[in-house]
Amino acid sequence: MKILLVNDDGFDSIGIKAVADSFKREHEVTIVAPDSQMSAFSHSVTLKPNTILWRKVESDIDTYAVKGTPVDCLKLGLFNFAPNPDLVIAGINMGQNLGTDILYSGTVSIASDAACLGYRAIALSVFRKDSPVEAYYDCAEFLKNNLGLLMSYKLPKGAFININFPDCKPRGVRVAKMSSIPTFIDAYDDNNGEMNINGHRNFDMLENDTDERLCRDGYITVTPLTVDMTDYNALKTLKKEKFVL
């Protein structure tokens, strides 16, 4: 199988290395990733007149380091370095991509952009940035062990899978919905006119059946997501309204 690996932590991060090491013996693997840390760049892309620079990295895996956003890397991979992959794997991200965190996530945006373009995609993350190396390899092994199941499942166009690995020995696997309650409380400190983010987490309002609650409780969470953000209940209601020109 032809696999394109992309992330937002950089081409040399432990997360992407763990996936590459786990899949390179049985699959054709290509890495296209930022040449530096690009977390929280969400779905941003580089537009004209700016250019995207890249370089080939000496490695036993076909690897390209890109001076661009995570989605820039995906697009260069799909249309230049590794066209028509069977699977796009985003990650493994160093830190959670749960609940409303996915709105800012470069990792999830890689998978959603790939799904939007018609490719099968999976986003992978571990709960804490400072997780031991073994956690990343365990996460990669989990995907490897369940790849056949995930590849056989017929996702609708524009849908993809978001997987998060806990910061402990997993208690099990739960298929869970995305939490829509923001747990990161934004706060900014003013330092002589320079604003520095200094937020904190609050998990008090989390629902028990959501990805963020279950992963915090020690479960591997598997969440199907889609690029279609339409509120169909509101759509149905608004279609009955008479708008004024």
Side-chain angles (χ1 to χ4, degrees):
M1 188 162 61
K2 190 175 181 180
I3 298 176
L4 173 61
L5 300 185
V6 190
N7 73 357
D8 65 3
D9 291 316
F11 72 95
D12 55 354
S13 78
I14 182 58
I16 206 166
K17 184 178 187 304
V19 180
D21 286 346
S22 296
F23 285 86
K24 65 183 181 183
R25 292 180 183 84
E26 299 175 12
H27 303 280
E28 180 185 344
V29 175
T30 302
I31 294 174
V32 185
D35 69 348
S36 61
Q37 174 62 248
M38 297 290 284
S39 291
F41 269 72
S42 187
H43 220 115
S44 59
V45 293
T46 301
L47 300 177
K48 289 182 177 180
N50 298 310
T51 57
I52 304 171
L53 303 177
W54 62 273
R55 61 187 172 89
K56 184 79 183 294
V57 177
E58 187 174 341
S59 172
D60 62 339
I61 297 172
D62 207 18
T63 301
Y64 301 86
V66 179
K67 285 188 178 297
T69 70
V71 174
D72 285 338
C73 296
L74 170 73
K75 293 182 184 297
L76 288 182
L78 292 177
F79 301 117
N80 293 273
F81 303 133
N84 300 314
D86 299 297
L87 175 66
V88 173
I89 299 177
I92 302 169
N93 191 64
M94 300 170 67
Q96 68 179 37
N97 279 308
L98 296 160
T100 57
D101 287 344
I102 73 169
L103 300 176
Y104 310 95
S105 167
T107 303
V108 176
S109 293
I110 291 162
S112 66
D113 198 71
C116 187
L117 293 169
Y119 295 93
R120 185 173 287 270
I122 298 172
L124 288 173
S125 305
V126 295
F127 190 79
R128 295 189 188 279
K129 291 183 179 180
D130 58 354
S131 294
V133 171
E134 292 77 18
Y136 294 96
Y137 279 88
D138 288 346
C139 181
E141 192 67 17
F142 171 78
L143 177 59
K144 184 178 178 181
N145 292 339
N146 292 277
L147 189 61
L149 183 155
L150 293 170
M151 291 296 289
S152 66
Y153 187 77
K154 295 186 183 300
L155 290 171
K157 185 176 175 15
F160 61 100
I161 300 294
N162 185 37
I163 297 174
N164 279 266
F165 210 79
D167 62 344
C168 59
K169 182 176 176 57
R171 297 172 59 185
V173 183
R174 293 288 185 272
V175 177
K177 69 180 181 180
M178 167 192 159
S179 174
S180 59
I181 297 173
T183 59
F184 187 80
I185 311 302
D186 293 310
Y188 292 84
D189 293 335
D190 187 357
N191 182 17
N192 295 324
E194 295 181 354
M195 304 300 289
N196 299 309
I197 191 166
N198 184 28
H200 66 280
R201 293 275 183 183
N202 184 344
F203 301 105
D204 293 343
M205 301 291 290
L206 281 177
E207 298 172 274
N208 290 331
D209 60 346
T210 60
D211 58 350
E212 194 159 11
R213 169 54 65 196
L214 288 165
C215 194
R216 283 188 60 79
D217 288 345
Y219 292 97
I220 299 169
T221 58
V222 179
T223 303
L225 299 173
T226 177
V227 298
D228 184 355
M229 300 175 69
T230 305
D231 183 333
Y232 285 96
N233 289 327
L235 181 69
K236 184 177 180 180
T237 301
L238 285 170
K239 279 185 174 182
K240 299 175 183 177
E241 301 293 341
K242 294 182 178 179
F243 290 88
V244 179
L245 290 176

